[in-house]
Amino acid sequence: MTDTALLDAVLAEWGHDPHTHEEHQFLYVPLGRIVVTAEGAEHVIEGASGLWMPAGIEHSARFGPDALVIAEEFDAGENRLPYRAATAVEMTPLARRSLLARARSGDEGLGCPELFATLVALRGSRLPLPEPQSRIPRAVARQLTEQPADARTAAEWASVFFTSSTSLRRAFRAETGLAFTEWRTRLRLNLSLDLLAKGNLVGAVAARVGFTSANGYILAFRRHFGETPGAYLARHCPGGPFDVQLQDS
């Protein structure tokens, strides 16, 4: 069995086929890892992040064999969620304590208003981006972090380090749960957030992090974050020194 097939087998040991919920759902994984797929995007959720799944969004999930999953549901009619797509958020100590306390209480009813307020206040996180651990993938990741616009393919990187492109791709998949191209896209999008918040325009940000066009960057941003760069910044940096809304519609 190849490394990729082995990883897929492990993550597929249990999970859920595509389905929807009538309620908003919040997922937290204090132990292990799960992969949630929604609207063509994969969200790797582990201890540092949680995931909001708005009501009505079709999604599926694969759970690692050691995953401990806490799922809280909130009435969609009574609770306004500021997301239209599956959205990863950064966990805080308060959010963790609140979720774990509710799990220990055994209360299986719809989430309480106080818990919803705590979870909905969490900031949208950078995309989950596990770091590769072995020498060559780690070296590639380090160089891409320093120069995200580097356009070399996996095959070209493999040539630099005197290995095969198949080995490099398998290593990225096995060690991060992501294909090399998806890992690089997430890195570029994460690095773009600070550039946007500093007031750089969309076209300039796209070029600096390695996208060949502003439209390509906006499409990738929307697919992964569920909204345009301008909408993201309007929520997370209200009043900030940016003017991107007219360029990313």
Side-chain angles (χ1 to χ4, degrees):
M1 182 180 291
T2 67
D3 292 339
T4 298
L6 178 61
L7 178 72
D8 288 342
V10 169
L11 288 175
E13 286 193 2
W14 64 300
H16 298 301
D17 292 330
H19 64 287
T20 62
H21 298 285
E22 294 182 358
E23 299 81 19
H24 301 314
Q25 186 179 63
F26 187 86
L27 296 173
Y28 175 52
V29 187
L31 295 174
R33 170 195 290 185
I34 70 173
V35 179
V36 178
T37 302
E39 298 181 319
E42 281 194 347
H43 303 271
V44 180
I45 305 302
E46 41 197 349
S49 61
L51 182 73
W52 272 113
M53 183 63 65
I57 298 294
E58 185 175 82
H59 60 284
S60 61
R62 293 174 291 152
F63 303 161
D66 60 342
L68 173 62
V69 183
I70 295 177
E72 287 289 340
E73 295 185 337
F74 300 89
D75 188 293
E78 298 181 1
N79 299 281
R80 182 179 179 277
L81 193 65
Y83 305 114
R84 295 185 299 275
T87 302
V89 294
E90 296 177 354
M91 294 298 294
T92 63
L94 174 60
R96 293 189 188 93
R97 288 196 301 270
S98 299
L99 284 168
L100 293 173
R102 182 170 167 82
R104 286 193 296 268
S105 74
D107 187 349
E108 297 182 356
L110 291 183
C112 66
E114 292 81 6
L115 180 61
F116 181 80
T118 296
L119 298 177
V120 82
L122 297 174
R123 291 180 61 85
S125 71
R126 300 182 189 286
L127 298 167
L129 194 69
E131 295 185 6
Q133 299 302 308
S134 57
R135 181 180 64 84
I136 292 176
R138 189 169 65 246
V140 173
R142 185 182 303 116
Q143 291 193 37
L144 283 172
T145 301
E146 295 174 354
Q147 297 291 335
D150 193 316
R152 279 178 284 188
T153 65
E156 289 169 326
W157 279 112
S159 178
V160 171
F161 290 98
F162 304 102
T163 187
S164 71
S165 60
T166 299
S167 295
L168 181 61
R169 290 190 181 96
R170 285 178 176 173
F172 262 90
R173 172 70 74 172
E175 296 173 20
T176 71
L178 302 168
F180 169 77
T181 53
E182 173 65 12
W183 192 95
R184 184 178 61 186
T185 294
R186 291 189 180 200
L187 171 70
R188 289 172 169 174
L189 290 171
N190 283 346
L191 293 175
S192 77
L193 297 179
D194 289 338
L195 295 173
L196 286 171
K198 292 176 180 178
N200 294 285
L201 298 181
V202 168
V205 171
R208 285 185 61 179
V209 298
F211 286 89
T212 56
S213 70
N215 284 340
Y217 168 64
I218 293 166
L219 289 173
F221 196 103
R222 180 181 288 162
R223 180 168 70 87
H224 285 82
F225 290 111
E227 58 191 347
T228 66
Y232 181 96
L233 284 169
R235 286 193 305 104
H236 294 294
C237 304
F242 52 86
D243 183 17
V244 296
Q245 290 87 341
L246 296 180
Q247 298 190 35
D248 66 5
S249 58

